Short mmCIF file of all heavy atoms in Angstrom, two decimals:
data_model
loop_
_atom_site.label_atom_id
_atom_site.label_comp_id
_atom_site.label_asym_id
_atom_site.label_seq_id
_atom_site.Cartn_x
_atom_site.Cartn_y
_atom_site.Cartn_z
N ALA A 21 9.55 5.12 18.00
CA ALA A 21 8.12 4.99 17.70
C ALA A 21 7.56 6.38 17.47
O ALA A 21 7.88 7.33 18.20
CB ALA A 21 7.39 4.31 18.85
N ILE A 22 6.74 6.49 16.42
CA ILE A 22 6.08 7.75 16.08
C ILE A 22 4.61 7.44 16.03
O ILE A 22 4.15 6.68 15.17
CB ILE A 22 6.55 8.27 14.70
CG1 ILE A 22 8.07 8.40 14.65
CG2 ILE A 22 5.86 9.59 14.37
CD1 ILE A 22 8.63 8.56 13.24
N GLY A 23 3.87 7.97 17.00
CA GLY A 23 2.47 7.58 17.06
C GLY A 23 1.54 8.65 17.60
O GLY A 23 1.98 9.69 18.11
N GLY A 24 0.27 8.35 17.47
CA GLY A 24 -0.78 9.25 17.93
C GLY A 24 -1.31 8.85 19.29
O GLY A 24 -1.06 9.48 20.30
N HIS A 25 -2.03 7.73 19.36
CA HIS A 25 -2.63 7.26 20.61
C HIS A 25 -1.81 6.08 21.10
O HIS A 25 -1.73 5.06 20.43
CB HIS A 25 -4.08 6.85 20.34
CG HIS A 25 -4.80 6.42 21.58
ND1 HIS A 25 -4.46 5.31 22.29
CD2 HIS A 25 -5.85 6.97 22.23
CE1 HIS A 25 -5.26 5.18 23.33
NE2 HIS A 25 -6.11 6.18 23.30
N TRP A 26 -1.20 6.23 22.26
CA TRP A 26 -0.30 5.23 22.80
C TRP A 26 -0.97 4.31 23.83
O TRP A 26 -0.36 3.36 24.30
CB TRP A 26 0.88 5.92 23.49
CG TRP A 26 1.85 6.56 22.56
CD1 TRP A 26 1.65 7.65 21.77
CD2 TRP A 26 3.18 6.15 22.34
NE1 TRP A 26 2.78 7.95 21.06
CE2 TRP A 26 3.74 7.05 21.40
CE3 TRP A 26 3.98 5.14 22.83
CZ2 TRP A 26 5.05 6.93 20.95
CZ3 TRP A 26 5.28 5.02 22.39
CH2 TRP A 26 5.81 5.93 21.45
N GLY A 27 -2.20 4.56 24.19
CA GLY A 27 -2.82 3.95 25.36
C GLY A 27 -3.05 2.46 25.34
O GLY A 27 -3.17 1.84 26.38
N MET A 28 -3.11 1.83 24.16
CA MET A 28 -3.45 0.41 24.11
C MET A 28 -2.24 -0.52 24.23
O MET A 28 -2.39 -1.71 24.35
CB MET A 28 -4.22 0.09 22.83
CG MET A 28 -5.55 0.84 22.71
SD MET A 28 -6.63 0.61 24.13
CE MET A 28 -7.12 -1.07 23.89
N SER A 29 -1.05 0.03 24.17
CA SER A 29 0.17 -0.77 24.29
C SER A 29 0.99 -0.27 25.46
O SER A 29 1.83 0.61 25.32
CB SER A 29 0.98 -0.69 23.00
OG SER A 29 2.17 -1.45 23.12
N GLY A 30 0.74 -0.87 26.61
CA GLY A 30 1.42 -0.43 27.82
C GLY A 30 2.92 -0.59 27.78
O GLY A 30 3.67 0.29 28.26
N GLU A 31 3.41 -1.68 27.22
CA GLU A 31 4.86 -1.92 27.15
C GLU A 31 5.55 -0.90 26.24
O GLU A 31 6.65 -0.46 26.53
CB GLU A 31 5.17 -3.34 26.70
CG GLU A 31 4.84 -4.39 27.74
CD GLU A 31 5.60 -4.17 29.05
OE1 GLU A 31 6.83 -3.95 29.00
OE2 GLU A 31 4.97 -4.21 30.11
N LEU A 32 4.89 -0.55 25.14
CA LEU A 32 5.47 0.45 24.23
C LEU A 32 5.57 1.80 24.94
O LEU A 32 6.61 2.47 24.88
CB LEU A 32 4.64 0.57 22.96
CG LEU A 32 5.17 1.50 21.88
CD1 LEU A 32 6.53 1.03 21.37
CD2 LEU A 32 4.17 1.60 20.74
N GLY A 33 4.52 2.18 25.63
CA GLY A 33 4.55 3.43 26.39
C GLY A 33 5.61 3.41 27.47
O GLY A 33 6.29 4.42 27.70
N LYS A 34 5.77 2.28 28.12
CA LYS A 34 6.80 2.15 29.16
C LYS A 34 8.19 2.32 28.56
O LYS A 34 9.04 3.00 29.15
CB LYS A 34 6.66 0.81 29.86
CG LYS A 34 7.58 0.62 31.05
CD LYS A 34 7.22 -0.65 31.80
CE LYS A 34 8.10 -1.00 32.95
NZ LYS A 34 9.17 -0.17 33.32
N MET A 35 8.44 1.74 27.38
CA MET A 35 9.74 1.91 26.74
C MET A 35 10.02 3.38 26.45
O MET A 35 11.14 3.85 26.59
CB MET A 35 9.83 1.10 25.45
CG MET A 35 9.95 -0.39 25.67
SD MET A 35 10.14 -1.30 24.12
CE MET A 35 11.92 -1.13 23.86
N ALA A 36 8.98 4.10 26.04
CA ALA A 36 9.14 5.53 25.74
C ALA A 36 9.42 6.32 27.01
O ALA A 36 10.37 7.10 27.07
CB ALA A 36 7.88 6.05 25.05
N VAL A 37 8.63 6.11 28.02
CA VAL A 37 8.78 6.84 29.28
C VAL A 37 10.11 6.51 29.96
O VAL A 37 10.74 7.38 30.56
CB VAL A 37 7.59 6.56 30.23
CG1 VAL A 37 7.82 7.11 31.61
CG2 VAL A 37 6.31 7.15 29.64
N ASP A 38 10.56 5.26 29.82
CA ASP A 38 11.83 4.84 30.41
C ASP A 38 13.04 5.21 29.57
O ASP A 38 14.16 4.80 29.87
CB ASP A 38 11.83 3.33 30.66
CG ASP A 38 10.88 2.91 31.78
OD1 ASP A 38 10.40 3.79 32.52
OD2 ASP A 38 10.63 1.70 31.90
N ASN A 39 12.82 5.97 28.48
CA ASN A 39 13.92 6.48 27.66
C ASN A 39 14.68 5.37 26.95
O ASN A 39 15.87 5.51 26.66
CB ASN A 39 14.87 7.31 28.54
CG ASN A 39 15.32 8.57 27.85
OD1 ASN A 39 14.64 9.12 26.99
ND2 ASN A 39 16.48 9.05 28.23
N LYS A 40 14.01 4.25 26.65
CA LYS A 40 14.66 3.13 25.97
C LYS A 40 14.56 3.23 24.46
O LYS A 40 15.32 2.56 23.75
CB LYS A 40 14.07 1.81 26.46
CG LYS A 40 14.39 1.56 27.92
CD LYS A 40 13.94 0.22 28.36
CE LYS A 40 14.38 0.03 29.82
NZ LYS A 40 14.04 -1.26 30.35
N ILE A 41 13.64 4.05 23.96
CA ILE A 41 13.49 4.28 22.52
C ILE A 41 13.26 5.76 22.30
O ILE A 41 12.84 6.47 23.20
CB ILE A 41 12.31 3.48 21.92
CG1 ILE A 41 10.98 3.88 22.59
CG2 ILE A 41 12.56 1.99 21.97
CD1 ILE A 41 9.74 3.28 21.94
N GLU A 42 13.54 6.24 21.09
CA GLU A 42 13.12 7.57 20.70
C GLU A 42 11.61 7.49 20.52
O GLU A 42 11.09 6.50 20.00
CB GLU A 42 13.76 7.98 19.39
CG GLU A 42 15.27 8.10 19.45
CD GLU A 42 15.86 8.32 18.08
OE1 GLU A 42 15.19 8.93 17.21
OE2 GLU A 42 16.99 7.86 17.86
N ALA A 43 10.89 8.52 20.96
CA ALA A 43 9.44 8.43 20.92
C ALA A 43 8.82 9.80 20.67
O ALA A 43 9.19 10.79 21.29
CB ALA A 43 8.93 7.85 22.23
N TYR A 44 7.85 9.80 19.75
CA TYR A 44 7.10 11.01 19.40
C TYR A 44 5.62 10.74 19.58
O TYR A 44 5.13 9.68 19.20
CB TYR A 44 7.33 11.39 17.93
CG TYR A 44 8.76 11.67 17.57
CD1 TYR A 44 9.61 10.64 17.21
CD2 TYR A 44 9.26 12.97 17.61
CE1 TYR A 44 10.93 10.88 16.87
CE2 TYR A 44 10.58 13.22 17.26
CZ TYR A 44 11.41 12.18 16.91
OH TYR A 44 12.73 12.42 16.57
N ASN A 45 4.93 11.70 20.15
CA ASN A 45 3.48 11.66 20.25
C ASN A 45 2.94 12.82 19.44
O ASN A 45 3.11 13.98 19.81
CB ASN A 45 3.03 11.75 21.71
CG ASN A 45 1.55 11.55 21.87
OD1 ASN A 45 0.88 11.00 21.00
ND2 ASN A 45 1.02 11.98 22.99
N LEU A 46 2.33 12.49 18.30
CA LEU A 46 1.77 13.50 17.41
C LEU A 46 0.26 13.31 17.33
O LEU A 46 -0.25 12.22 17.64
CB LEU A 46 2.40 13.37 16.01
CG LEU A 46 3.93 13.46 15.95
CD1 LEU A 46 4.42 13.27 14.53
CD2 LEU A 46 4.43 14.75 16.54
N PRO A 47 -0.49 14.32 16.92
CA PRO A 47 -1.94 14.16 16.85
C PRO A 47 -2.34 12.99 15.95
O PRO A 47 -1.78 12.79 14.86
CB PRO A 47 -2.41 15.49 16.27
CG PRO A 47 -1.35 16.47 16.64
CD PRO A 47 -0.07 15.69 16.58
N GLN A 48 -3.31 12.23 16.41
CA GLN A 48 -3.75 11.03 15.70
C GLN A 48 -4.17 11.34 14.26
O GLN A 48 -3.81 10.62 13.34
CB GLN A 48 -4.91 10.43 16.48
CG GLN A 48 -5.20 9.01 16.19
CD GLN A 48 -6.24 8.45 17.16
OE1 GLN A 48 -6.52 9.01 18.21
NE2 GLN A 48 -6.79 7.34 16.78
N GLY A 49 -4.92 12.40 14.07
CA GLY A 49 -5.35 12.77 12.73
C GLY A 49 -4.20 13.20 11.84
O GLY A 49 -4.20 12.94 10.63
N VAL A 50 -3.21 13.83 12.42
CA VAL A 50 -2.02 14.23 11.68
C VAL A 50 -1.28 12.98 11.19
O VAL A 50 -0.86 12.90 10.05
CB VAL A 50 -1.09 15.13 12.53
CG1 VAL A 50 0.30 15.25 11.91
CG2 VAL A 50 -1.72 16.50 12.71
N ILE A 51 -1.16 11.98 12.07
CA ILE A 51 -0.48 10.74 11.68
C ILE A 51 -1.24 10.09 10.51
O ILE A 51 -0.62 9.67 9.52
CB ILE A 51 -0.43 9.75 12.86
CG1 ILE A 51 0.43 10.30 13.98
CG2 ILE A 51 0.05 8.37 12.41
CD1 ILE A 51 1.90 10.11 13.85
#
């Protein structure tokens, strides 16, 4: 997942934090 604001999808954030997916957090405007 490549995203800016992760806060509205708790399960997606959990997958990232739990190292289950590759995950990037980039500035929302940049995205």
Side-chain angles (χ1 to χ4, degrees):
I22 305 165
H25 184 294
W26 288 68
M28 299 306 289
S29 179
E31 289 301 312
L32 184 62
K34 186 171 176 2
M35 287 183 84
V37 171
D38 290 347
N39 222 27
K40 293 186 177 183
I41 60 172
E42 296 172 31
Y44 300 86
N45 186 19
L46 304 178
Q48 199 171 344
V50 165
I51 296 278

